[in-house]
Amino acid sequence: MRVEDAMETINAAVQAAVWAPSVHNTQPWSFAVDGEEIALRADSDRKLRLGDVMGREQLVSCGAALMNVRLALRALGREAQVRVLPDPDRPALLATVRLGGAVEADEHTRLLHAQIERRRTHRAGFTDEPVPGHLVEELVYQAAAEGARLTPIRDEAAVRVLAALTDAAQEVQSQDRLFTLEVIRWGRPPGSTRADGVPAESYPREPRRTRPHFAQRDYAHGHPWGGESDQFAATSTGLVAVLTTQADSREDWIAAGQALQRVLLHACAHGVRVAFHTQALEMFHLREFMRQELLSGENAQMIMRLGFTGDEGVGVRRPVGEVLEDRGI
Ligand SMILES: Cc1cc2nc3c(=O)[nH]c(=O)nc-3n(C[C@H](O)[C@H](O)[C@H](O)COP(=O)(O)O)c2cc1C
């Protein structure tokens, strides 16, 4: 492959990577290129110091970005040779991806790849239309293919417990001044030109309650921000699901991120949007409670609601030039 062609492929892969979801849209990653190899690094300046002490959410976010790189390379006709955490002496180096031999992308890869820039986080209720059972099964399969488990929570009492834990965590976090400042830092005012943070147009100005209600993060913090589009009008909770892994190492967090992204893209391809509520996972005792009492010893990596909504939502990202360094790994 010519050097220019390889660089074009790598650029396209990083362009896809940046559209991954990340906690508060921190985009906590950077990329470097060495020949035909891409290095994915965790950007420690973009880790949440209070919300994400262990760096778990950062690695889940970077795992999602890694999935996009894999999909993009395959969609562009190249095998992706991935090494996760390749060097124990360099913990910030999360993965290397080498351009492998030529492959023809299968239909599913192309389908997922086509959703990467379209997928958006939802922050309100859903319509009453249920997520079809066969689609839920497919989503469970998508997570399993990456070594994680997606468990739909069908038991109403368990859904109420998860909603209550989310509420409790949100309540406790909002009483903590420093924690609140960290969330506000990533709230993006209307009309802002910032290329990161949560856009004011991506959540409702006056949120309607679902039953049970899953507390939203307070990105507006008392400001009259937030959108008024139809996508925020529905009031069904949707399908609640938890993404878990058996163990809880850094490798598991990266795997969970890849699984998450596969689930989200597959859902998006079938018109299903997803809302996240990870407040309780940022509190050690609540996450441990979930592990022991609700999840049969599995470790929660993501709490989400899935369903149908009106329109698509908005997204912002830093340009590739800001996250990609063209020098040796
Ligand atoms: C690990 C992780 C945790 C997240 N937690 C929440 C959350 O608690 N509440 C929320 O509204 N969004 C949450 N999100 C979604 C991000 O805010 C969202 O991905 C980011 O703002 C980018 O927007 P987009 O997904 O619409 O492209 C989370 C995403 C990740 C990857």
Side-chain angles (χ1 to χ4, degrees), residues 19-25 57 60-61 119-121 123 197-199 216-217 219 260 276-279 302 314-315 317:
W19 284 103
S22 62
V23 62
H24 303 341
N25 202 14
E57 290 183 289
V60 170
S61 306
R119 180 213 56 82
R120 290 277 76 78
T121 296
R123 296 193 178 86
V198 178
Q216 294 286 347
R217 306 269 193 176
Y219 293 113
L260 171 70
F276 307 104
H277 301 270
T278 53
Q279 297 96 322
M302 203 60 157
V314 292
R317 291 297 189 276

Side-chain angles (χ1 to χ4, degrees), residues 285-303:
H285 292 101
L286 295 187
R287 187 162 178 259
E288 187 54 22
F289 172 85
M290 266 181 232
R291 189 177 75 77
Q292 290 185 21
E293 304 292 334
L294 295 175
L295 302 171
S296 315
E298 293 245 335
N299 299 282
Q301 306 297 353
M302 203 60 157
I303 299 175

Side-chain angles (χ1 to χ4, degrees), residues 7-326:
M7 204 52 217
E8 212 169 285
T9 304
I10 285 171
N11 260 301
V14 175
Q15 174 66 48
V18 301
W19 284 103
S22 62
V23 62
H24 303 341
N25 202 14
T26 47
Q27 304 167 46
W29 44 62
S30 71
F31 300 85
V33 183
D34 188 7
E36 296 207 343
E37 189 160 280
I38 308 171
L40 163 61
R41 291 203 195 102
D43 180 344
S44 58
D45 291 345
R46 289 175 170 269
K47 182 174 98 110
L48 303 176
R49 281 180 179 36
L50 299 171
D52 189 24
V53 177
M54 302 293 289
R56 189 189 63 81
E57 290 183 289
Q58 177 173 40
L59 265 58
V60 170
S61 306
C62 290
L66 177 58
M67 174 50 71
N68 284 2
V69 170
R70 288 170 52 195
L71 285 170
L73 291 183
R74 276 196 90 85
L76 291 166
R78 295 295 296 264
E79 197 92 59
Q81 296 171 347
V82 181
R83 289 173 68 207
V84 172
L85 297 172
D87 186 347
D89 292 331
R90 300 168 70 194
L93 179 59
L94 301 185
T96 55
V97 186
R98 178 166 281 284
L99 269 59
V103 277
E104 185 156 351
D106 58 82
E107 207 177 307
H108 189 242
T109 299
R110 287 202 299 268
L111 181 70
L112 296 191
H113 179 247
Q115 313 307 315
I116 287 176
E117 293 195 25
R118 286 187 52 217
R119 180 213 56 82
R120 290 277 76 78
T121 296
H122 185 60
R123 296 193 178 86
F126 293 107
T127 66
D128 290 333
E129 187 181 346
V131 180
H134 69 87
L135 179 56
V136 176
E137 276 173 34
E138 287 166 21
L139 296 174
V140 168
Y141 172 80
Q142 293 302 316
E146 297 299 325
R149 180 179 290 178
L150 183 72
T151 306
I153 312 291
R154 304 282 188 191
D155 179 57
E156 286 180 22
V159 171
R160 286 198 299 275
V161 171
L162 283 174
L165 291 172
T166 303
D167 209 33
Q170 177 62 33
E171 200 57 50
V172 169
Q173 291 175 353
S174 65
Q175 302 300 316
D176 183 322
R177 201 177 68 86
L178 292 178
F179 202 103
T180 301
L181 283 175
E182 186 170 75
V183 177
I184 296 174
R185 182 181 164 225
W186 295 102
R188 185 174 175 277
S192 163
T193 53
R194 268 179 76 169
D196 54 12
V198 178
E201 300 76 19
S202 67
Y203 51 83
R205 179 167 311 163
E206 283 167 18
R208 297 206 189 180
R209 288 185 74 78
T210 60
R211 230 179 337 177
H213 188 66
F214 278 73
Q216 294 286 347
R217 306 269 193 176
D218 184 10
Y219 293 113
H221 194 62
H223 298 285
W225 299 348
E228 281 174 286
S229 94
D230 279 355
Q231 64 159 328
F232 301 131
T235 55
S236 167
T237 305
L239 173 69
V240 174
V242 183
L243 184 72
T244 60
T245 51
Q246 218 165 44
D248 203 26
S249 65
R250 297 178 83 231
E251 210 163 342
D252 292 302
W253 301 340
I254 296 171
Q258 294 180 83
L260 171 70
Q261 183 64 349
R262 249 176 100 148
V263 167
L264 298 180
L265 296 175
H266 192 89
C268 182
H270 294 85
V272 167
R273 289 189 57 193
V274 182
F276 307 104
H277 301 270
T278 53
Q279 297 96 322
L281 305 187
E282 292 171 353
M283 307 191 72
F284 175 80
H285 292 101
L286 295 187
R287 187 162 178 259
E288 187 54 22
F289 172 85
M290 266 181 232
R291 189 177 75 77
Q292 290 185 21
E293 304 292 334
L294 295 175
L295 302 171
S296 315
E298 293 245 335
N299 299 282
Q301 306 297 353
M302 203 60 157
I303 299 175
M304 48 189 149
R305 296 182 296 115
L306 301 92
F308 294 93
T309 71
D311 52 36
E312 303 245 304
V314 292
V316 291
R317 291 297 189 276
R318 292 183 293 155
V320 168
E322 243 181 70
V323 297
L324 177 63
E325 295 166 38
D326 183 12

